[in-house]
Amino acid sequence: MAMILDGKALAAELRADITARVSALREAGRRAPGLAVVLLGDDPASAVYVGSKVKQTEAAGMHSVAHVLPGSTTESELLQLVAQLNADPFVDGILVQLPLPKGIDSLRVIEAIDPAKDVDGFHPVNVGRLSIGLPALVPCTPRGCVMLAKRARADLTGLHAVIVGRSNIVGKPMAQLLLAENCTVTIAHSRTRDLPALCREADILVAAIGRPRALGKEHVKPGAIVIDVGINRVPKADGGSRLVGDVDYDAVVGVAGAITPVPGGVGPMTIACLLDNTVTAYRRRGG
Ligand code: GUN
């Protein structure tokens, strides 16, 4: 049986550390780091994520600002809000929840965020800095994935990592972070030929495709580290629903060397890394 990579426990450790750092700042008479989250529209999954972000920001003793706006908000109204948050000295981090409603150009919004406050690490300046090895704000989900993989094996040097999914949020930054860990990196995607054979070459398999249980036993080399980024809601026989990953956990847990569960794997790490990025932004801004 695979080692279970418990993201819930590791995220709790990280949050405890962040809470202690914030508390030390406050005791020294300094202001708390601040995070602003912006949500447009009423997508239920996004509302849950944003709610958790606000709750955990407050629990860490940080300053939290939430802007929940109607789905009819225009791009120029959103850009105006971003400009206001850029100028707010009590806001160190700005997160605009994606995906944005149709008609709003996400890249234009991301480009409008001050790179020093871009705690998602999505601004071209941070993407570029990460790719050439300069200090950058690094996307939260891939950061959490690397931390979990290193729980299975502290030194990832020389391992072949296959990342399935080429998104700007996960796949591409994941490749940069694993390169920085001295892995040999392959990015696979929907047009990749013979995906199972390629995945079976992987010492580290990262699934970030957004399709429930799409990767099974035939995709996994015995002993591989499997990191499942997927969070998919699927119906249950009794009429309810449950969350599953992009990996068929029950089929793979007997083959992999280590695996992240869903829920309780990558998900909790993302928010913990977001809080950590906010403290980093605060420090670099001279908080
Ligand atoms: N939507 C899904 N994941 C993310 C994320 O990491 N950041 C933002 N802003 N939106 C998301």
Side-chain angles (χ1 to χ4, degrees), residues 31 49 63 81-82 85 89 102 108 123 127 161 168 209 215 247 283 285:
R31 72 174 175 88
Y49 295 144
H63 172 55
L81 173 60
V82 168
L85 295 171
K102 279 193 183 60
R108 193 175 291 165
H123 190 286
V127 175
N168 292 337
I209 40 186
L215 303 187
V247 173
R283 205 164 21 80
R285 281 170 22 80

Short mmCIF file of all heavy atoms in Angstrom, two decimals, residues 31 49 63 81-82 85 89 102 108 123 127 161 168 209 215 247 283 285:
data_model
loop_
_atom_site.label_atom_id
_atom_site.label_comp_id
_atom_site.label_asym_id
_atom_site.label_seq_id
_atom_site.Cartn_x
_atom_site.Cartn_y
_atom_site.Cartn_z
N ARG A 31 2.02 46.15 11.89
CA ARG A 31 0.69 45.83 11.36
C ARG A 31 0.68 44.38 10.88
O ARG A 31 1.74 43.80 10.63
CB ARG A 31 0.31 46.79 10.23
CG ARG A 31 1.07 46.56 8.94
CD ARG A 31 0.55 47.43 7.79
NE ARG A 31 1.39 47.26 6.61
CZ ARG A 31 1.21 46.32 5.70
NH1 ARG A 31 0.19 45.48 5.79
NH2 ARG A 31 2.03 46.21 4.68
N TYR A 49 -14.38 28.10 -2.01
CA TYR A 49 -12.94 28.35 -1.91
C TYR A 49 -12.67 29.72 -1.29
O TYR A 49 -11.83 29.86 -0.41
CB TYR A 49 -12.27 28.30 -3.30
CG TYR A 49 -12.31 26.95 -3.98
CD1 TYR A 49 -12.47 26.85 -5.35
CD2 TYR A 49 -12.17 25.78 -3.25
CE1 TYR A 49 -12.51 25.61 -5.98
CE2 TYR A 49 -12.20 24.54 -3.86
CZ TYR A 49 -12.38 24.46 -5.23
OH TYR A 49 -12.42 23.24 -5.85
N HIS A 63 -4.98 40.47 8.29
CA HIS A 63 -6.03 41.40 7.87
C HIS A 63 -6.67 40.83 6.60
O HIS A 63 -5.96 40.49 5.65
CB HIS A 63 -5.37 42.76 7.60
CG HIS A 63 -6.24 43.79 6.99
ND1 HIS A 63 -7.45 44.18 7.54
CD2 HIS A 63 -6.09 44.52 5.86
CE1 HIS A 63 -8.00 45.11 6.79
NE2 HIS A 63 -7.20 45.33 5.76
N LEU A 81 -11.34 48.27 -9.19
CA LEU A 81 -11.17 47.69 -7.86
C LEU A 81 -9.72 47.23 -7.66
O LEU A 81 -9.11 47.44 -6.61
CB LEU A 81 -12.14 46.51 -7.66
CG LEU A 81 -11.96 45.71 -6.38
CD1 LEU A 81 -12.12 46.58 -5.13
CD2 LEU A 81 -12.93 44.53 -6.33
N VAL A 82 -9.16 46.59 -8.69
CA VAL A 82 -7.77 46.13 -8.60
C VAL A 82 -6.85 47.33 -8.36
O VAL A 82 -5.95 47.27 -7.51
CB VAL A 82 -7.37 45.34 -9.87
CG1 VAL A 82 -5.86 45.11 -9.93
CG2 VAL A 82 -8.11 44.00 -9.92
N LEU A 85 -7.05 48.35 -4.80
CA LEU A 85 -6.34 47.41 -3.91
C LEU A 85 -4.82 47.55 -4.07
O LEU A 85 -4.07 47.42 -3.10
CB LEU A 85 -6.79 45.97 -4.18
CG LEU A 85 -8.26 45.68 -3.85
CD1 LEU A 85 -8.68 44.30 -4.36
CD2 LEU A 85 -8.53 45.79 -2.35
N PRO A 89 -2.37 50.54 1.25
CA PRO A 89 -1.15 50.13 1.97
C PRO A 89 -1.36 48.97 2.94
O PRO A 89 -0.39 48.33 3.34
CB PRO A 89 -0.75 51.40 2.73
CG PRO A 89 -1.99 52.20 2.85
CD PRO A 89 -2.82 51.89 1.64
N LYS A 102 -17.76 35.06 -18.22
CA LYS A 102 -17.54 35.31 -19.66
C LYS A 102 -17.57 36.82 -19.93
O LYS A 102 -18.33 37.54 -19.30
CB LYS A 102 -18.64 34.65 -20.48
CG LYS A 102 -18.40 33.18 -20.70
CD LYS A 102 -19.34 32.64 -21.79
CE LYS A 102 -19.15 31.16 -21.98
NZ LYS A 102 -19.43 30.36 -20.75
N ARG A 108 -5.95 40.23 -18.79
CA ARG A 108 -5.89 41.68 -18.60
C ARG A 108 -6.01 42.03 -17.11
O ARG A 108 -5.32 42.92 -16.61
CB ARG A 108 -6.99 42.37 -19.41
CG ARG A 108 -6.77 43.87 -19.51
CD ARG A 108 -7.77 44.55 -20.40
NE ARG A 108 -7.60 44.21 -21.80
CZ ARG A 108 -8.52 44.44 -22.74
NH1 ARG A 108 -9.67 44.99 -22.42
NH2 ARG A 108 -8.30 44.11 -23.98
N HIS A 123 0.98 36.80 -12.47
CA HIS A 123 1.39 37.95 -13.29
C HIS A 123 2.62 37.59 -14.12
O HIS A 123 3.51 36.88 -13.64
CB HIS A 123 1.71 39.14 -12.37
CG HIS A 123 1.90 40.43 -13.11
ND1 HIS A 123 3.03 40.70 -13.85
CD2 HIS A 123 1.09 41.51 -13.25
CE1 HIS A 123 2.91 41.90 -14.41
NE2 HIS A 123 1.74 42.40 -14.06
N VAL A 127 5.75 35.05 -13.35
CA VAL A 127 5.94 33.85 -14.20
C VAL A 127 7.36 33.87 -14.77
O VAL A 127 8.08 32.86 -14.74
CB VAL A 127 4.89 33.81 -15.33
CG1 VAL A 127 5.15 32.66 -16.29
CG2 VAL A 127 3.48 33.70 -14.74
N ALA A 161 9.57 13.41 -13.72
CA ALA A 161 8.22 13.86 -13.37
C ALA A 161 7.40 14.00 -14.64
O ALA A 161 7.84 14.65 -15.59
CB ALA A 161 8.29 15.20 -12.65
N ASN A 168 -1.92 27.34 -17.05
CA ASN A 168 -1.05 28.38 -16.49
C ASN A 168 -1.07 28.34 -14.96
O ASN A 168 -0.14 28.79 -14.30
CB ASN A 168 -1.51 29.77 -16.95
CG ASN A 168 -1.29 29.97 -18.43
OD1 ASN A 168 -0.45 29.30 -19.04
ND2 ASN A 168 -2.05 30.88 -19.03
N ILE A 209 -5.87 17.62 -14.67
CA ILE A 209 -6.62 17.67 -15.92
C ILE A 209 -8.09 18.01 -15.70
O ILE A 209 -8.79 18.39 -16.63
CB ILE A 209 -6.51 16.33 -16.69
CG1 ILE A 209 -6.59 15.13 -15.75
CG2 ILE A 209 -5.25 16.29 -17.51
CD1 ILE A 209 -6.35 13.79 -16.41
N LEU A 215 -7.10 8.93 -14.52
CA LEU A 215 -5.85 8.15 -14.53
C LEU A 215 -6.01 6.95 -13.59
O LEU A 215 -6.37 7.10 -12.42
CB LEU A 215 -4.66 9.01 -14.08
CG LEU A 215 -4.39 10.29 -14.89
CD1 LEU A 215 -3.08 10.93 -14.43
CD2 LEU A 215 -4.35 10.03 -16.39
N VAL A 247 -7.33 11.07 -10.31
CA VAL A 247 -6.75 9.73 -10.23
C VAL A 247 -7.79 8.80 -9.59
O VAL A 247 -8.49 9.20 -8.66
CB VAL A 247 -5.46 9.76 -9.37
CG1 VAL A 247 -4.92 8.36 -9.13
CG2 VAL A 247 -4.39 10.64 -10.04
N ARG A 283 6.60 41.04 3.64
CA ARG A 283 8.02 41.23 4.01
C ARG A 283 8.74 41.97 2.88
O ARG A 283 9.44 42.95 3.10
CB ARG A 283 8.63 39.84 4.24
CG ARG A 283 9.82 39.83 5.15
CD ARG A 283 10.19 38.44 5.67
NE ARG A 283 9.72 37.29 4.93
CZ ARG A 283 10.28 36.81 3.82
NH1 ARG A 283 11.34 37.39 3.30
NH2 ARG A 283 9.78 35.73 3.24
N ARG A 285 7.56 43.88 0.66
CA ARG A 285 7.06 45.25 0.51
C ARG A 285 7.50 46.14 1.67
O ARG A 285 7.14 47.30 1.74
CB ARG A 285 5.53 45.24 0.42
CG ARG A 285 5.00 44.83 -0.93
CD ARG A 285 3.50 44.58 -0.98
NE ARG A 285 2.71 45.21 0.07
CZ ARG A 285 2.34 46.48 0.07
NH1 ARG A 285 2.62 47.25 -0.94
NH2 ARG A 285 1.64 46.96 1.08
#
